Amino acid sequence: MRAGVVATAHPGVEGLAVQAEELGLHSFWLNDTPMVHGDPFVALALCAKATSRIRLGIGVTSPALRSAPAAASAFASLNALAPGRIICGIGTGNTARRTLGMRPTTAATMENFTAALQDLCAGRTIEYREGDRVRNVRFLHTGAHANTADPVEFVVAALGPKAAAVAGRRGTGLISFGLLDPTAWQALHDARRHAAHHTPRDPDSRMDSYVVTALHILDEDEDPYGDAARDATGHVVLSLLAFAADTAADARAFAEQLGPEEREAVRRLLDRRGTTATAPDRHTKLYPNYLGRIAPQDRDLILPSLMNALALVGTRNDLRARITILEQAGIDELLIQPVIDPPTEMAQLAKLLT
């Protein structure tokens, strides 16, 4: 299985991309969460200039954040800096929208956005709509300004069959956050395959599958649920708890799908952040330091059940066995989001998968 890294956009992140390339990792991604992290397109441009081989991805942008022409211009500009190395991840904006206190967009809107980006980044004309006005648009000046000759790889963020079907109809790959259940991945691939069966596919398109998680390799006799393991995986677990807390008042609340211990952790998180599931400003309390290193006082929220479900913790042999099962489920690349010591964690990942 291939290996890659997901990071947050910040000054100097290009140095991390260089280290990832030197370690032989396949890809380097930046999140697109405007009010939480820096701008990923600015940072990825620096990564493009500093590297020569590693693939560079945005994981993920959304039609709820950017118009298709603006997003296409950004990706084609990156493609001019790093020809053929750019990956465009697209989602409904679940995190990026919720950190603004807004709802994500629909799968249908995401599909239209994906189709528009695919056409524009390939130099084709699209119908662009704003309200009642529709106009044909395309790049008017390419070449040195915007590269539409080299292919951009597209992936759709999915946790369920509806988004996976979008990937199938658009002939794209899949990316999912914290989804380490092989049965769930088989369901995603089945949904994509069924949708793709009814849609002509571009023979040049890639349909790889990526999973984003956290990794902690245990030392001999180390507690798999000790402070070190919780610190290394806590950002992934807290992201799920924050989502559950944010949506706890919805009619079909995600929190209701959790067990009693996990629901209690959601309640404690809301209390600890001084907010409620219905407070209009709860996003300002739940999402600060999102996907950053957790505070020691929050270690009790990092439940073993959620660590097991969302992250990879174990001995080298245990992890290799688990990764083999994921590979058999059709996952092409394992992406980790390191927060404790990124250079060391990237080196451990590279060694684990060689």
Side-chain angles (χ1 to χ4, degrees), residues 70-84:
S73 178
F75 282 106
S77 297
L78 287 172
N79 203 23
L81 295 173

Side-chain angles (χ1 to χ4, degrees), residues 129-188:
R129 179 185 296 275
E130 288 188 7
D132 295 331
R133 177 170 290 191
V134 180
R135 295 291 185 269
N136 288 339
V137 300
R138 59 178 174 81
F139 279 108
L140 302 179
H141 196 169
T142 56
H145 296 77
N147 179 2
T148 60
D150 292 290
V152 171
E153 179 182 354
F154 288 87
V155 298
V156 164
L159 285 173
K162 188 178 293 186
V166 172
R169 287 191 292 272
R170 297 311 314 163
T172 77
L174 290 169
I175 186 169
S176 197
F177 184 87
L179 189 68
L180 297 177
D181 179 0
T183 302
W185 270 102
Q186 289 166 358
L188 291 184

Side-chain angles (χ1 to χ4, degrees), residues 209-230:
S209 294
Y210 301 83
V211 63
V212 184
T213 185
L215 175 73
H216 182 68
I217 301 175
L218 296 173
D219 292 331
E220 187 175 354
D221 298 326
E222 181 184 349
D223 182 356
Y225 307 116
D227 288 350
R230 290 176 190 245

Side-chain angles (χ1 to χ4, degrees), residues 77-275:
S77 297
L78 287 172
N79 203 23
L81 295 173
R85 292 198 283 139
I86 303 305
I87 310 173
C88 170
I90 302 171
T92 59
N94 189 53
T95 299
R97 291 285 288 170
R98 292 191 185 281
T99 55
L100 301 175
M102 302 295 175
R103 292 183 178 274
T105 190
T106 64
T109 300
M110 178 180 69
E111 182 166 3
N112 291 335
F113 182 72
T114 303
L117 284 187
Q118 287 176 308
D119 284 339
L120 288 173
C121 288
R124 296 187 288 266
T125 299
I126 68 163
E127 283 191 348
Y128 176 62
R129 179 185 296 275
E130 288 188 7
D132 295 331
R133 177 170 290 191
V134 180
R135 295 291 185 269
N136 288 339
V137 300
R138 59 178 174 81
F139 279 108
L140 302 179
H141 196 169
T142 56
H145 296 77
N147 179 2
T148 60
D150 292 290
V152 171
E153 179 182 354
F154 288 87
V155 298
V156 164
L159 285 173
K162 188 178 293 186
V166 172
R169 287 191 292 272
R170 297 311 314 163
T172 77
L174 290 169
I175 186 169
S176 197
F177 184 87
L179 189 68
L180 297 177
D181 179 0
T183 302
W185 270 102
Q186 289 166 358
L188 291 184
H189 289 141
D190 286 344
R192 180 175 64 175
R193 191 179 305 112
H194 178 75
H197 180 70
H198 302 287
T199 307
R201 179 187 167 190
D202 181 350
D204 296 326
S205 65
R206 298 176 58 143
M207 297 182 69
D208 289 353
S209 294
Y210 301 83
V211 63
V212 184
T213 185
L215 175 73
H216 182 68
I217 301 175
L218 296 173
D219 292 331
E220 187 175 354
D221 298 326
E222 181 184 349
D223 182 356
Y225 307 116
D227 288 350
R230 290 176 190 245
D231 288 348
T233 63
H235 58 298
V236 175
V237 173
L238 273 187
S239 71
L240 180 138
L241 292 177
F243 170 71
D246 188 19
T247 59
D250 292 353
R252 298 170 63 183
F254 171 74
E256 295 306 311
Q257 302 174 35
L258 301 175
E261 187 180 15
E262 291 79 13
R263 290 199 298 272
E264 172 61 18
V266 170
R267 187 195 65 76
R268 293 204 312 273
L269 177 63
L270 284 165
D271 288 347
R272 195 167 295 178
R273 297 297 186 263
T275 190

